[in-house]
Amino acid sequence: MARLLVYYAHPGQKFSRVNALMADRARRTEGLTFVDLYADYPRHRIDVDAEQARLAEAEVILFQFPLFWYSTPSIVKEWQDLVLEHGWAYGHGGTALAGKRMMLAVSCAGPEDAYSTGGYQHFPLRTFLAPLEQTARLCRMSFPAPYVLYGALKAAARGEVAPHVEGYATLLSAIRDDRYDWPAAEERQTVHHDSLPLIRAEAGA
Ligand SMILES: Cc1cc2nc3c(=O)[nH]c(=O)nc-3n(C[C@H](O)[C@H](O)[C@H](O)COP(=O)(O)O)c2cc1C
């Protein structure tokens, strides 16, 4: 079993069509730690000691959020600024996170073809996620491909919400049960509900 810590960040739960359903599944999945950042810290006063203790225990740290202005909802930035302390997470003596994995589960309104050099968002999604990727690497964590839902606002009409939510639940259990093929995930840019061949039937097989 891998020790999995899921951080969920969505400031507008009642408007959520995708992430609230995903969070609900994560919350009900046994054998992982689920943290709803906006619920736990409505005033953004993050308990640094508590979060560092959670991180120290975890092997895989997964942030689940909707893309807001090409970045995370603001509480994730606050979490980073406070929790990832010099001498703890990075820098001299900062090895608390070394060898762990940091992964993202992201939804965004833009369609996949918009997130390309020729598309209207001008850059691939991974370019916008580069600060998170390099944060992970500076803290000596690996950064496997994010689990992504593009075109999230039209996903319901396309019948994609349920498969995406189901894929997320499958992904979480596979990570927890050591059935996720991390080297393959490192090779990918993004993974989707219909492209999770990364999951092995048996743990460690
Ligand atoms: C403040 C705000 C900023 C957003 N910024 C982006 C963005 O930069 N790129 C994008 O593709 N979608 C953006 N969106 C759309 C959200 O990512 C989308 O509504 C969300 O992923 C849908 O998930 P949900 O149904 O769980 O809320 C933004 C939405 C809001 C409210």
Side-chain angles (χ1 to χ4, degrees), residues 10 16-19 66-70 107-110 115 152-153:
H10 196 312
S16 171
R17 298 171 207 174
V18 177
N19 283 277
L67 194 72
F68 277 8
W69 291 111
Y70 310 104
S107 65
C108 59
Y115 281 99
L153 302 181

Side-chain angles (χ1 to χ4, degrees), residues 40 49 121 153 183 198:
D40 285 10
D49 290 343
Q121 304 284 23
L153 302 181
L198 312 170

Side-chain angles (χ1 to χ4, degrees), residues 122-192:
H122 294 291
F123 302 96
L125 184 63
R126 281 292 292 262
T127 304
F128 296 111
L129 302 176
L132 289 159
E133 176 172 357
Q134 179 52 20
T135 297
R137 298 206 192 285
L138 189 73
C139 298
R140 301 181 176 89
M141 292 188 280
S142 62
F143 189 82
Y147 180 65
V148 173
L149 179 67
Y150 292 100
L153 302 181
K154 295 184 179 159
R158 290 197 313 265
E160 271 199 71
V161 174
H164 183 74
V165 172
E166 206 51 48
Y168 186 54
T170 305
L171 173 69
L172 294 177
S173 342
I175 292 173
R176 178 197 62 194
D177 298 341
D178 284 324
R179 286 184 292 105
Y180 203 58
D181 187 342
W182 293 110
E186 301 269 348
E187 297 291 310
R188 301 275 290 273
Q189 289 297 300
T190 56
V191 291
H192 309 267

Side-chain angles (χ1 to χ4, degrees), residues 47-121:
D47 182 337
V48 172
D49 290 343
E51 297 313 327
Q52 288 184 346
R54 278 173 168 153
L55 288 169
E57 280 292 305
E59 292 166 291
V60 181
I61 300 138
L62 189 150
F63 286 90
Q64 183 213 318
F65 58 89
L67 194 72
F68 277 8
W69 291 111
Y70 310 104
S71 182
T72 66
S74 60
I75 203 165
V76 178
K77 183 61 165 58
E78 182 74 354
W79 181 98
Q80 284 177 274
D81 294 353
L82 297 181
V83 176
L84 301 179
E85 286 179 326
H86 181 269
W88 186 82
Y90 71 101
H92 186 67
T95 56
L97 301 174
K100 300 180 191 288
R101 304 180 199 280
M102 188 176 117
M103 187 171 169
L104 312 179
V106 186
S107 65
C108 59
E112 185 162 14
D113 59 2
Y115 281 99
S116 62
T117 43
Y120 74 81
Q121 304 284 23

